[in-house]
Amino acid sequence: MAVEGLGTAYAGGWAIDPTGGPNGTPPTSIWGVPVYRDLHWPAASVGTALVGNFRAVDVFVDGEMRIDVSNESGTRWDQNVTGFRAQTQIGFNATPFYLTGHFQKVTGL
Amino acid sequence: MGGSYRPTDADILRGAGGSQPDSGTPFLKAIMDARRGDPEANSYVKSILGTSAATGQAMVPNNFVAGIAQWASGENIYRQCMNWQSVGAVTGVDVPYDTDAIEAALLQGAYGSNKDVRDFNFGEATATLYQIAQIVDIGNQLLRQSNGAAEAHARRRLGRAFAKAEAVFVSSGTGSSQPLGILQAFTDTSVPSYSTALSSEPRAASRDHRSGYRCA
């Protein structure tokens, strides 16, 4: 979102001041709408943003993250190693939220 | 060990050994008590962790899970702006959604008059739960001798790994053997387009329930 070229004569200026931008605290907002940066945004979608009513969107998990520890399985005992296994379950389907207009894409950024 | 009294194993388990000046803290009693209250307390004595052999042997740090969750939340922006619900051990969740426009409730007439009855339709999608997991191996000597640094590093790596997986699923999951992400939902061609007026993403706009679109 930090793109130059918004002046009336293409004189420049930032769409969002990069100082303290989407990663700032508090985050940058546009007319009161907070702007966040996704650190893991897909490379294929660079230049695209999502505008959405994120608070109304549900993501489902099975509960607390589970941690199991073993120093015996496999060759861990022989090699004097401890393995930490973390696991959880996640369920998400964007279709209902997309179909009900909770998201719009902004392209060409 | 001076004196004639030597506590038996049963004494130690009862904590009686603690009355002897050279017996130290009755830690076995503490373990036994913990087991009574915590069915998972076997893990309490299962692993070899901690910052030193003196303080750490056989204790899983209580903050390990919390540390991972904190990292997972900090690096996954969707953890902060979306509604994450814990649904327990299920394979999937049905998510209903409106397909009809909201119609204003009508003013009613005389007392006892019939009220306006409206039926409405809704669609339903399934959010299947998929498991994500990762194992991090660390040498026991490093765990003991790094003063907690190795353990903290494991927490950080696991937390960031989970954050990345979750964020990618939410934003761009393919929907095939993984969650269907937002960007992928825009490419859904299974539902025909009802609008050609908008040059970008017409389907999302036309299906906004506020637009008055009614599902057959």
Side-chain angles (χ1 to χ4, degrees):
Chain A
M1 290 292 285
V3 177
E4 283 189 311
L6 291 181
T8 53
Y10 208 72
W14 298 98
I16 295 177
D17 187 344
T19 303
N23 290 333
T25 304
T28 294
S29 65
I30 300 177
W31 297 301
V33 178
V35 178
Y36 296 99
R37 177 187 176 211
D38 181 356
L39 297 173
H40 310 291
W41 191 248
S45 297
V46 169
T48 297
L50 284 173
V51 178
N53 179 17
F54 287 87
R55 290 291 175 200
V57 177
D58 296 323
V59 181
F60 305 99
V61 292
D62 63 345
E64 288 285 332
M65 192 176 295
R66 297 179 302 282
I67 306 293
D68 293 300
V69 182
S70 173
N71 55 12
E72 297 172 354
S73 63
T75 58
R76 290 187 177 86
W77 174 260
D78 299 336
Q79 298 174 355
N80 201 21
V81 165
T82 295
F84 298 83
R85 183 182 64 204
Q87 54 186 336
T88 188
Q89 287 188 311
I90 178 175
F92 178 61
N93 189 334
T95 297
F97 308 107
Y98 154 69
L99 293 180
T100 50
H102 284 79
F103 293 115
Q104 281 291 344
K105 275 203 298 190
V106 179
T107 58
L109 296 175
Chain B
M1 294 291 290
S4 59
Y5 174 77
R6 290 180 62 86
T8 63
D9 291 343
D11 289 335
I12 293 175
L13 288 172
R14 285 197 306 271
S19 62
Q20 297 301 304
D22 59 347
S23 60
T25 304
F27 66 96
L28 289 178
K29 179 179 183 300
I31 293 174
M32 192 169 68
D33 290 344
R35 281 183 168 173
R36 285 200 189 99
D38 180 4
E40 295 179 349
N42 283 333
S43 62
Y44 193 70
V45 294
K46 188 169 65 174
S47 62
I48 301 175
L49 295 173
T51 56
S52 72
T55 63
Q57 293 266 26
M59 289 188 68
V60 175
N62 294 330
N63 61 349
F64 196 90
V65 175
I68 294 176
Q70 187 176 6
W71 272 98
S73 177
E75 297 234 344
N76 175 12
I77 192 62
Y78 304 107
R79 280 261 183 187
Q80 301 170 39
C81 66
M82 295 168 78
N83 183 26
W84 289 66
Q85 293 192 35
S86 177
V87 293
V90 298
T91 57
V93 179
D94 289 333
V95 185
Y97 57 94
D98 289 335
T99 57
D100 294 347
I102 302 295
E103 297 170 288
L106 300 180
L107 291 172
Q108 297 301 307
Y111 175 80
S113 63
N114 290 335
K115 306 300 185 285
D116 181 42
V117 178
R118 299 292 176 94
D119 293 329
F120 62 94
N121 302 303
F122 62 91
E124 190 169 81
T126 299
T128 303
L129 268 73
Y130 297 98
Q131 181 160 288
I132 53 179
Q134 189 170 91
I135 298 174
V136 173
D137 281 344
I138 307 178
N140 289 330
Q141 285 183 307
L142 180 62
L143 279 173
R144 291 174 187 169
Q145 297 169 4
S146 66
N147 290 325
E151 178 197 308
H153 190 70
R155 283 201 304 266
R156 188 160 57 244
R157 281 197 66 90
L158 285 171
R160 296 179 73 175
F162 275 68
K164 184 172 186 177
E166 292 173 354
V168 169
F169 286 150
V170 170
S171 68
S172 53
T174 64
S176 176
S177 299
Q178 60 179 261
L180 179 68
I182 301 168
L183 292 172
Q184 288 298 316
F186 280 92
T187 65
D188 180 9
T189 57
S190 62
V191 182
S193 172
Y194 283 83
S195 172
T196 56
L198 298 174
S199 58
S200 64
E201 311 305 339
R203 290 193 305 279
S206 64
R207 276 158 187 74
D208 185 339
H209 62 265
R210 290 167 297 182
S211 69
Y213 162 69
R214 296 181 68 91
C215 184

